[in-house]
Amino acid sequence: MPKHRPSRTDFFAATVLASVLFVATACGGAAAPQAAPASSVPASSPSSPGSPERTTALPTTAPAATTRAPASPSAAASSMAPAPKPAAAAAGNAAPAFAAKALDVLAGLPVKGRAPKTGYSRAEFGQAWADVDRNGCDTRNDILNRDLTARTYKPGTRNCVVLTGVLADPYTSTVIDFVRGPNSAVVQIDHVVALSDAWQKGAQQLSVPERTAFANDPLNLLAVDGRTNQQKGDGDAATWLPPNKGYRCAYVARQISVKSAYKLWVTQAEHDAMARALGGCTGIPAPAALVQPPSNVFYQNCAAVRAAGAAPIRAGDPGFQSKFDRDGDGIGCE
């Protein structure tokens, strides 16, 4: 019997099939889940806007906010409240604009040893969750606004203080109901590059305004599962990566962008871990920086602040010093 000779149609079909399989497996693993429909859990009494990063003990009793099974891609939110705040434009952990390829940016990061942690404290990074963009809403609520769907708000806050919402957690690929109150810590705002890690890799040389910008930069912040965030602690890519393997490429790319934007370095072990994580998705770009770190600004006293037209000066503003704020309300040289 004569052998079958493949036709042009056979060759074209095989080529298309191979291309589809390559694209489907390029980054290995599933991406962060789509948000689920709005939760029916009633809102509890609101608590204070801030929630400490990785320091709030998670409840041991059954929380009002519950973690649900991984969401399917079709489980999109049926409705979404508007997010009028500038820093809350994108919901559901949407990726920011992209710049150069992450591996190329990684190649440009300095590789050095870890500096001593001497002198580190949270206060070195300015007021916690400062309103650096002056939109009338603190950074923590800005990120909840950005990353949660099906949000409800505390009345009278102009859609600032988030009472309830649904998080498609990128670290665990689960869906979490957020309810503000005693169990708010089931959702925490993670510094993708931890403050302590940054302190030991170049942030000591930054000014307080620059460190404040770093601690409140949306590029460096994600709403995530609280328990997983506490397990991460201040680990870098060499010691901790998200359990959701499908998110590791995006996570490492974001860390690289943050370190590049703020002129921080990586250790050799960290560099190698980042390169390995990007090995299966070498074409992934690094997210572009969302804010421009402020330049060094120094005012000798309030007279200098007023002369520069910067009064009143607020915590987080370039050049702010605690000595300007005599009554401790976050506003100096009033």
Side-chain angles (χ1 to χ4, degrees), residues 130-148:
D131 181 14
V132 294
D133 57 4
R134 296 192 180 188
N135 68 348
C137 190
D138 64 88
T139 300
R140 183 174 187 272
N141 278 292
D142 277 340
I143 301 304
L144 291 175
N145 249 314
R146 184 195 69 185
D147 291 353
L148 271 59

Side-chain angles (χ1 to χ4, degrees), residues 24 102 143 148 188 220 222 251 268 272:
I143 301 304
L148 271 59
Q188 295 181 6
N220 193 34
L222 288 174
Y251 174 80
Q268 187 63 59
D272 295 347

Side-chain angles (χ1 to χ4, degrees), residues 33-45:
Q34 299 287 333
S39 168
S40 60
V41 181
S44 61
S45 300

Side-chain angles (χ1 to χ4, degrees), residues 6 75 106 134 146 152 164 175 181 202 243 300 311 323 333:
L106 174 61
R134 296 192 180 188
R146 184 195 69 185
T152 64
T164 65
V175 174
Q300 183 68 37
K323 69 179 183 181
C333 303

Side-chain angles (χ1 to χ4, degrees), residues 28-81:
Q34 299 287 333
S39 168
S40 60
V41 181
S44 61
S45 300
S47 59
S48 60
S51 177
E53 180 201 23
R54 291 187 288 278
T55 57
T56 303
L58 292 175
T60 55
T61 57
T66 57
T67 301
R68 296 184 284 186
S72 64
S74 62
S78 57
S79 63
M80 183 184 299

